[in-house]
Amino acid sequence: MSVHCFVTRPGFFRLLLASAVVVSHLSNLEIGRPAVMIFFILSGYWVTRMFDTKYATGSHRIRTFYASRLLRIWPVYACVLVLAVITFAALNISSQSLSLSNLTLIGLASTGGDPLGVSWSLDIELQFYLLLPIFLGLVVWSEQHRFGTLKLAGLAIAAFFWGWFLQLEFGIWTVLSYLPLFAAGMILARLEYLPTTRTTLLSGLVFLAVGVLATLLPFTEDYLLKDSVTPFPEDWFGMLWALTLLPFIAWNVQQESPPLDRHLGNISYTLYLVHWPIILIAQSFLTSQMGHMWKVIAILVSFTVAVLIYLACDMPLERLRRQIIRHLQIKPAERALA
């Protein structure tokens, strides 16, 4: 496998996005937020494809879909949170948000108590899972998918304004604020759009050019710096930036993903979960002795712990999840004969 092929695999791309979040938490660059926006697009694509191929028909399909998504997200999150709480207690590190009271995810983005630094996005993800069957039920796709695409795009734009009204005026964070990103992924899944190599490369170049220009232009550089005052929410810029990468994303998700690449994609989730507590621990004990080298240590430890959590926690839980879902998908009459 060539290096070019390896770095463009779907799993490696997700690991790259998770790594961008890690780097963002270790620097003043706001590159983690756009990476999360791209994760939302990918989620819209993969979950829609999964729903269409595995849960669109059959008995108790909605219940099974909900159970599958909850069991994929929550158990590993709970495992990492419990380990982080125990570790912080053992090292005598205090953190108001790092508490077992945050085991629940729904509503956590609105409360502001984000124990792992990324939990708000998991809240938004779960809200998307809850609403996905409703969104797909409201949109009837024609043979050309033209009207379905327009309906979903219109619904997403209307939801975007309503969601940001709730967020800015009342502090209520909902998936509606980010629905255009999820909808973009849903549309890619339904259209099965495969761009040309030229369009794919152009999309990547435009995405990089936007990032470079944003650092050079005085009225956009603040969107790439943390704690800067901006006239509009940073997420608006991040969403627009992420959408420029749509053709590349459409191409990337349709590339072959061999076993190693699938493992890398799965490790991206555990890396996403574990890195913030590790950064806090390294910051507490290593900054005075090592200067900026503590950041390198934090990155290496984050990747190492992410792999260990994946092997010891995520993989066994994933096997259990698949067994539970297979059991739920068996019809009661067939289950009685089994």
Side-chain angles (χ1 to χ4, degrees):
M1 182 187 300
S2 68
V3 174
H4 172 73
C5 292
F6 179 75
V7 300
T8 54
R9 300 291 190 184
F12 184 85
F13 181 53
R14 295 200 302 275
L15 184 62
L16 185 63
L17 293 174
S19 301
V21 176
V22 177
V23 172
S24 180
H25 279 151
L26 284 166
S27 68
N28 195 40
L29 293 176
E30 189 59 277
I31 59 174
R33 211 70 169 187
V36 173
M37 303 297 116
I38 296 172
F39 268 126
F40 287 160
I41 298 175
L42 291 171
S43 179
Y45 176 87
W46 288 114
V47 177
T48 299
R49 275 200 60 184
M50 185 184 305
F51 185 86
D52 287 343
T53 57
K54 295 183 178 180
Y55 306 106
T57 59
S59 59
H60 307 298
R61 60 187 185 277
I62 304 300
R63 182 189 69 179
T64 306
F65 169 74
Y66 285 158
S68 174
R69 292 297 83 205
L70 178 64
L71 291 174
R72 183 66 192 100
I73 292 291
W74 187 83
V76 183
Y77 163 79
C79 177
V80 172
L81 179 58
V82 170
L83 289 175
V85 169
I86 293 174
T87 304
F88 271 54
L91 297 176
N92 197 26
I93 300 175
S94 62
S95 175
Q96 292 181 343
S97 60
L98 198 63
S99 167
L100 292 180
S101 63
N102 289 317
L103 277 173
T104 177
L105 276 174
I106 294 294
L108 192 148
S110 299
T111 63
D114 192 346
L116 301 181
V118 296
S119 306
W120 71 273
S121 64
L122 303 181
D123 178 10
I124 300 299
E125 283 278 348
L126 286 179
Q127 292 180 45
F128 170 65
Y129 300 155
L130 288 173
L131 293 179
L132 178 69
I134 299 174
F135 292 150
L136 295 180
L138 290 174
V139 177
V140 179
W141 295 77
S142 65
E143 289 185 2
Q144 294 79 21
H145 300 297
R146 181 183 304 168
F147 295 109
T149 299
L150 292 175
K151 287 180 181 178
L152 186 55
L155 176 65
I157 293 172
F160 169 82
F161 289 107
W162 176 242
W164 278 98
F165 171 76
L166 293 175
Q167 188 168 323
L168 295 176
E169 292 295 325
F170 303 103
I172 301 174
W173 289 53
T174 69
V175 68
L176 302 179
S177 298
Y178 305 94
L179 191 57
L181 299 168
F182 290 105
M186 294 166 66
I187 291 171
L188 291 181
R190 285 294 177 87
L191 294 181
E192 298 182 348
Y193 165 61
L194 180 61
T196 64
T197 302
R198 180 180 178 181
T199 303
T200 301
L201 291 174
L202 182 61
S203 169
L205 291 174
V206 169
F207 179 80
L208 293 175
V210 170
V212 172
L213 287 175
T215 61
L216 300 176
L217 299 176
F219 54 88
T220 56
E221 63 176 352
D222 287 342
Y223 287 99
L224 289 179
L225 298 175
K226 295 178 182 176
D227 302 322
S228 297
V229 178
T230 56
F232 302 102
E234 291 87 345
D235 283 356
W236 293 8
F237 174 78
M239 293 171 73
L240 291 174
W241 192 10
L243 289 172
T244 65
L245 203 59
L246 270 181
F248 174 84
I249 294 171
W251 176 84
N252 175 261
V253 294
Q254 297 184 67
Q255 301 306 299
E256 181 185 359
S257 183
L260 175 60
D261 185 69
R262 290 196 294 273
H263 286 305
L264 293 178
N266 293 332
I267 290 171
S268 70
Y269 181 49
T270 54
L271 176 64
Y272 191 63
L273 292 175
V274 305
H275 76 275
W276 180 244
I278 291 173
I279 288 174
L280 294 181
I281 293 171
Q283 195 172 32
S284 299
F285 290 98
L286 301 179
T287 51
S288 59
Q289 300 95 341
M290 305 188 67
H292 288 293
M293 276 300 296
W294 74 269
K295 297 181 180 181
V296 177
I297 301 297
I299 291 174
L300 294 176
V301 173
S302 293
F303 274 90
T304 302
V305 173
V307 172
L308 294 176
I309 294 293
Y310 174 63
L311 295 174
C313 181
D314 195 10
M315 290 183 69
L317 287 172
E318 175 62 10
R319 288 193 291 268
L320 178 61
R321 181 189 72 87
R322 293 183 179 182
Q323 292 176 2
I324 293 173
I325 297 307
R326 280 197 296 268
H327 180 76
L328 291 175
Q329 289 177 321
I330 299 176
K331 296 180 180 179
E334 298 173 350
R335 197 177 300 153
L337 296 174

